[in-house]
Amino acid sequence: MDLNYPSALLEKAVAELAKLPGVGRKTALRLALHLLRQTDEDVSAFTSAIDTMKREVKRCRVCHNISDNDVCPICSDSRRDSSIICVVENVQDVMAVENTQQFNGLYHVLGGIISPMDGIGPADLEIASLVDRVKQGGVGEVILALSSTMEGDTTNFYIARQLEPFDVEVSVIARGISVGDELEYTDEVTLGRSILNRTPLNK
């Protein structure tokens, strides 16, 4: 049943907040009313942070992770092992793997996985730029850390085929992750063990 709003301005704010993932109309109403109770300074700081993030956050020109600069802190860290690239679907997956503290290489964010049902093909992802990174040399292993789904497996094998001409080991994370699970929702211990116990895909 639709709610009766005492203010058209409140209703409009609720409608915008409800567009956020996982936020329904009732939760959006609670958030909007919470913001109304805050000081002008607090609300201004909130909206300014969102506006600044949208305008100024960049994509790393190397790995496509989000960054405040042209090259993200991970790619620019000389202490990381640049001979190993961990391929993930999205930014959340980078954060998930980093939280395991079991990986010291670099990343490559695809921006999704191959999914014909959703109209997403290889050309829609950052696969060509991954091949270019390997082609430049210095990469000894590419770890495919994608979700254990049919789409994830399809993407794994497509990338492996694209990397066949190069002298690089391609491995996949161990199946400590249940089939069908999304990487970002996997607990850190399981994900960390999956990275450490990865298996070769091209052998």
Side-chain angles (χ1 to χ4, degrees):
M1 185 174 64
D2 291 337
L3 299 173
N4 292 318
Y5 294 91
S7 163
L9 296 175
L10 173 63
E11 184 176 4
K12 184 177 180 180
V14 169
E16 292 302 316
L17 288 168
K19 294 178 182 178
L20 295 170
V23 177
R25 299 284 292 192
K26 289 185 177 180
T27 299
L29 176 59
R30 286 197 296 271
L31 293 172
L33 292 174
H34 171 78
L35 289 171
L36 274 178
R37 291 192 295 269
Q38 304 309 298
T39 65
D40 290 347
E41 291 77 12
D42 287 342
V43 174
S44 178
F46 174 77
T47 57
S48 176
I50 300 298
D51 182 60
T52 301
M53 176 191 69
K54 179 60 179 174
R55 286 186 292 104
E56 299 185 10
V57 163
K58 304 175 181 179
R59 290 282 178 177
C60 174
R61 60 179 173 81
V62 178
C63 73
H64 311 291
N65 191 13
I66 59 173
S67 174
D68 294 342
N69 302 300
D70 290 335
V71 179
C72 74
I74 294 176
C75 287
S76 59
D77 188 349
S78 60
R79 296 169 297 180
R80 310 282 300 210
D81 185 352
S82 60
S83 70
I84 305 177
I85 296 177
C86 181
V87 179
V88 295
E89 179 180 347
N90 53 44
V91 172
Q92 297 97 306
D93 293 343
V94 172
M95 298 169 66
V97 175
E98 281 295 282
N99 284 338
T100 69
Q101 298 183 342
Q102 299 291 338
F103 181 69
N104 191 46
L106 302 182
Y107 293 91
H108 192 88
V109 181
L110 294 178
I113 51 179
I114 297 172
S115 179
M117 293 290 290
D118 298 318
I120 302 174
D124 300 309
L125 307 175
E126 293 294 344
I127 294 177
S129 58
L130 171 64
V131 175
D132 286 340
R133 289 180 71 181
V134 174
K135 188 184 300 182
Q136 290 172 11
V139 178
E141 181 183 7
V142 172
I143 304 171
L144 301 175
L146 304 179
S147 300
S148 302
T149 61
M150 183 182 299
E151 292 81 7
D153 287 343
T154 298
T155 309
N156 282 340
F157 287 112
Y158 180 86
I159 292 174
R161 286 200 304 269
Q162 297 301 303
L163 297 178
E164 280 179 359
F166 310 102
D167 184 22
V168 59
E169 180 178 350
V170 180
S171 57
V172 293
I173 55 177
R175 295 299 190 183
I177 301 171
S178 300
V179 173
D181 279 0
E182 297 291 340
L183 208 66
E184 64 181 287
Y185 301 120
T186 304
D187 69 272
E188 295 170 8
V189 173
T190 300
L191 180 55
R193 287 174 179 168
S194 295
I195 293 288
L196 289 176
N197 298 320
R198 58 189 180 273
T199 56
L201 185 64
N202 57 348
K203 299 297 183 187

